[in-house]
């Protein structure tokens, strides 16, 4: 029995659209749902997640620096890395409904196995029409998206053919020597990058889970040969802790050994950090892959470019090519995971003495798109300006909403639904006692606080935001 009901995901997608976290891309032209645009709240949540990752991986340590490499790299990059030949998925087509799927994404029709292992094609059931075992012979389908660079006649040919990066790490490898020289880094050390990546996915879908354009947060961690396995364990634990610290229930996470070779088929060891997304057909989905890439990439780039990418170890008096451990997390997938994890329903008292069902996003305040809402009890010539002035004061430090439209209960519900941790209500008593009510999202507890002390109180409560 899956722990997360399939309807939970549908509810999250519906909330995301309704409240402005994400919209199907190109909706006016009949969107396909294969791509999503982030709305006003979605960009805030995404940026907050990215900032938390950067804090944990770069600013919170003294052994990692950042980088931002180009999306379009020299074509030789992808030949050397193995992507040009190896970054392909086996594609099969259902003979009954003509839908195409990745062979490794099909699940066993009898056992309904959700252990991440691909099913035998004979027993695999079409996720679209339900027909069993009616598959065409698998063929390879390149995952690389290609563009043509250059305006001159003839540039459209092979000479101008470039790939859009399918992963963040290669841009880091090409810059290793530059970074080592300029930042005086020595292994063990890392280079972090948040990168928009492109993959020609056969079956994009499931909201932000699989799109052709997505963002990856990748750390390339360079170590002495032989130290990869130890650091792989270290980063798997560190990265898992990061999700838990930001509010994901450890029961909704698992470690999962990669069943197949990764990009370029050179992966030595990958363990995925899976989250219980509750996807139709598969309860679990990967959030992040932690891979021991050994020296494959650096060796390939050194050979192909003729540049020495080895590191001189002064202490040992020897020269070696670093090995790489790479935790690579999907930022867009993380946006979806944190929405799913935070989504809850409970009951809230209403003004008639009864209770209403409420939907609440229990986002960690560090991730919440709006940190506080200032709400006058009602739209009023005296209350609204006081509330507006408070909102303006608080905006110097955080994203803060002001809202005086409609019943107060409804305005609380809206803030609960978008995950705002604190609502500050200015009421008629405020005019006498210069105090306001601060309501906490999860407990709905209300505390009376001097107006002049609201900024200090929020500064305490929102530490780290
Ligand atoms: P899959 O097998 O699901 O296609 P992968 O295991 O090849 O993906 P990696 O190359 O390890 O993925 O990428 C690291 C992370 O990047 C993934 O764990 C995921 O969070 C994210 N990612 C990869 N492909 C996509 C995509 N098409 N859309 C959104 N996120 C993605």
């Amino acid at each position: 029995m899956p722990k997360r009901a399939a309807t939970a995901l549908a509810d999250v997608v519906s909330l995301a659209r309704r409240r402005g976290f994400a919209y199907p891309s190109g909706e006016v032209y009949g969107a396909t749902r294969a791509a999503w645009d982030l709305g006003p709240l979605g960009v805030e949540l995404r940026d907050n997640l990215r900032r938390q990752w950067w804090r944990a991986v770069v600013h919170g340590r003294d052994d990692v620096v950042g980088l931002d490499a180009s999306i379009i790299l020299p074509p030789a990059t992808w030949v050397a890395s193995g992507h040009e030949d190896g970054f392909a998925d086996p594609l099969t087509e259902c003979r009954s409904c003509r839908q195409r799927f990745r062979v490794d994404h099909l699940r066993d029709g009898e056992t309904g196995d959700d252990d991440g292992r691909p099913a035998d094609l004979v027993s695999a059931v079409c996720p679209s029409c339900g027909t069993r075992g009616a598959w065409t012979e698998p063929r390879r389908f390149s995952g690389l998206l290609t563009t043509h660079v250059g305006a001159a006649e003839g540039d459209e040919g092979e000479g101008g053919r470039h790939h859009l990066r399918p992963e963040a790490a290669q841009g880091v490898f090409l810059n290793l020597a530059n970074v080592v020289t300029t930042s005086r880094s020595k292994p063990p050390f890392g280079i972090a990058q948040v990168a928009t990546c492109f993959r020609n996915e056969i079956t994009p879908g499931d909201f932000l889970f699989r799109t052709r354009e997505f963002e990856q947060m990748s750390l390339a961690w360079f170590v002495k040969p032989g130290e990869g396995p130890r650091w792989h364990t270290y980063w798997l634990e560190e990265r898992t802790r990061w999700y838990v610290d930001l509010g994901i229930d450890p029961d909704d996470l698992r470690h999962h050994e990669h069943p197949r070779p990764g990009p370029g088929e050179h992966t030595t060891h990958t363990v995925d950090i899976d989250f219980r997304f509750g996807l139709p057909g598969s309860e679990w989905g990967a959030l992040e892959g932690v891979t021991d890439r050994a020296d494959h990439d650096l060796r390939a780039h050194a050979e192909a470019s003729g540049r020495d990418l080895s590191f001189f170890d002064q202490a040992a008096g020897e020269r070696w090519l670093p090995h790489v451990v790479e935790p690579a997390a999907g930022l867009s997938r993380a946006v979806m995971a944190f929405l799913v994890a935070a989504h809850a329903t409970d009951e809230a008292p209403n003004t008639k003495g009864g209770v209403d069902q409420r939907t609440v996003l229990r986002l960690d305040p560090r991730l919440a798109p709006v940190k506080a809402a200032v709400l006058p009890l009602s739209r009023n010539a005296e209350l609204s300006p006081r509330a507006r002035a408070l909102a303006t004061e608080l905006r110097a430090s955080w994203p803060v909403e002001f809202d005086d439209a409609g019943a107060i209960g409804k305005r609380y519900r809206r803030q609960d639904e978008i995950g705002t941790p604190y609502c500050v209500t200015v009421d008629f008593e405020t005019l006498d006692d210069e105090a306001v009510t601060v309501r906490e999202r999860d407990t709905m507890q209300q505390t009376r606080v001097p107006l002049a002390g609201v900024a200090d109180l929020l500064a305490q409560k929102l530490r780290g935001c």
Side-chain angles (χ1 to χ4, degrees):
M1 183 67 187
K3 190 186 153 207
R4 202 182 297 290
T7 49
L9 189 54
D11 289 345
V12 169
V13 176
S14 153
L15 184 148
R17 294 185 62 168
R18 194 158 29 88
R19 292 303 190 190
F21 283 92
Y23 314 116
S25 184
E27 209 167 9
V28 292
Y29 287 112
T32 60
R33 291 187 177 221
W36 292 78
D37 296 341
L38 294 181
L41 299 178
V43 289
E44 299 294 337
L45 174 55
R46 189 268 320 267
D47 288 356
N48 291 343
L49 267 169
R50 181 167 51 194
R51 189 174 315 112
Q52 289 305 323
W53 184 84
W54 200 263
R55 272 190 194 165
V57 170
V58 184
H59 290 171
R61 313 177 56 102
D62 63 1
D63 49 13
V64 177
V65 291
L67 183 85
D68 192 0
S70 301
I71 288 174
I72 297 176
L73 296 168
T77 310
W78 308 110
V79 178
S81 69
H83 285 80
E84 179 77 54
D85 286 336
F87 192 59
D89 290 312
L91 165 79
T92 183
E93 189 174 299
C94 173
R95 290 185 204 278
S96 174
C97 70
R98 314 314 298 176
Q99 288 279 329
R100 292 172 171 188
F101 297 93
R102 253 170 74 171
V103 173
D104 59 307
H105 283 172
L106 295 172
R107 296 284 169 254
D108 196 288
E110 262 168 22
T111 61
D113 267 355
D114 185 19
D115 60 1
R117 275 196 297 274
D120 187 313
L121 270 188
V122 178
S123 60
V125 164
C126 175
S128 176
C129 72
T131 306
R132 184 162 167 209
W135 301 105
T136 58
E137 199 53 39
R139 53 195 177 86
R140 282 159 54 84
F141 176 85
S142 174
L144 293 172
L145 269 175
T146 300
T147 189
H148 296 276
V149 173
E153 191 79 11
D155 279 355
E156 293 85 359
E158 277 299 300
R161 183 173 166 272
H162 286 65
H163 298 304
L164 306 180
R165 66 179 167 208
E167 65 170 22
Q170 300 302 330
V172 167
F173 300 145
L174 301 193
N175 279 291
L176 175 63
N178 288 334
V179 175
V180 166
T181 310
T182 51
S183 69
R184 295 175 298 148
S185 307
K186 292 191 195 105
F189 88 105
I191 305 178
Q193 184 176 210
V194 181
T196 302
C197 298
F198 301 83
R199 294 186 184 180
N200 201 7
E201 296 283 355
I202 297 169
T203 43
D206 293 328
F207 190 39
L208 303 173
F209 186 81
R210 189 175 301 284
T211 48
R212 296 202 172 98
E213 182 182 333
F214 61 96
E215 287 178 282
Q216 224 184 40
M217 307 184 288
S218 154
L219 169 68
W221 179 254
F222 300 95
V223 302
K224 198 173 172 172
E227 293 188 351
R230 176 165 76 81
W231 284 109
H232 184 269
T233 307
Y234 169 86
W235 279 110
L236 189 59
E237 284 170 11
E238 278 293 297
R239 295 298 308 137
T240 306
R241 222 190 331 265
W242 184 80
Y243 291 103
V244 174
D245 177 56
L246 284 172
I248 299 222
D249 182 344
D251 282 350
D252 288 338
L253 292 173
R254 71 173 187 187
H255 289 164
H256 181 68
E257 291 270 342
H258 235 244
R260 65 186 180 92
E265 301 185 52
H266 57 253
T267 301
T268 54
H269 183 215
T270 297
V271 176
D272 280 343
I273 302 172
D274 280 0
F275 171 68
R276 204 190 294 268
F277 280 95
L279 302 171
S282 166
E283 197 180 15
W284 296 89
L287 266 176
E288 170 157 356
V290 183
T291 303
D292 180 350
R293 303 175 75 124
D295 62 359
H296 173 90
D297 305 87
L298 292 181
R299 187 169 294 285
H301 289 307
E303 276 169 18
S305 67
R307 295 284 281 271
D308 182 4
L309 299 178
S310 66
F311 174 81
F312 182 65
D313 182 342
Q314 267 175 339
E318 53 187 27
R319 191 167 267 291
W320 35 261
L321 206 52
H323 282 216
V324 178
V325 172
E326 189 212 10
L331 176 53
S332 338
R333 256 187 217 182
V335 167
M336 173 172 166
F338 279 95
L339 282 174
V340 170
H343 186 268
T345 45
D346 62 10
E347 288 180 339
N350 63 26
T351 47
K352 295 178 199 112
V355 288
D356 287 338
Q357 275 266 323
R358 72 161 183 164
T359 301
V360 53
L361 276 189
R362 299 191 197 281
L363 286 170
D364 185 284
R366 289 169 290 179
L367 302 183
V370 177
K371 307 300 181 199
V374 183
L375 313 170
L377 190 64
S378 58
R379 186 174 285 171
N380 172 282
E382 287 185 280
L383 298 188
S384 292
R386 296 298 296 264
R388 261 187 210 285
L390 177 61
T392 304
E393 181 198 338
L394 299 179
R395 271 191 201 117
S397 309
W398 309 281
V400 166
E401 280 200 358
F402 165 87
D403 185 5
D404 67 355
I408 185 77
K410 263 195 152 158
R411 283 181 276 148
Y412 281 146
R413 280 313 84 74
R414 177 175 183 279
Q415 296 301 332
D416 289 340
E417 248 196 331
I418 67 172
T420 306
Y422 300 100
C423 286
V424 184
T425 308
V426 175
D427 55 27
F428 289 100
E429 280 173 50
T430 307
L431 303 175
D432 297 329
D433 68 0
E434 291 291 318
V436 291
T437 301
V438 176
R439 171 186 179 273
E440 205 269 333
R441 178 195 68 205
D442 295 342
T443 60
M444 291 179 272
Q445 245 171 23
Q446 307 204 357
T447 319
R448 199 77 186 159
V449 176
L451 191 50
V454 175
D456 282 349
L457 178 77
L458 289 184
Q460 266 173 36
K461 300 228 179 232
L462 296 171
R463 193 166 295 146
C465 288

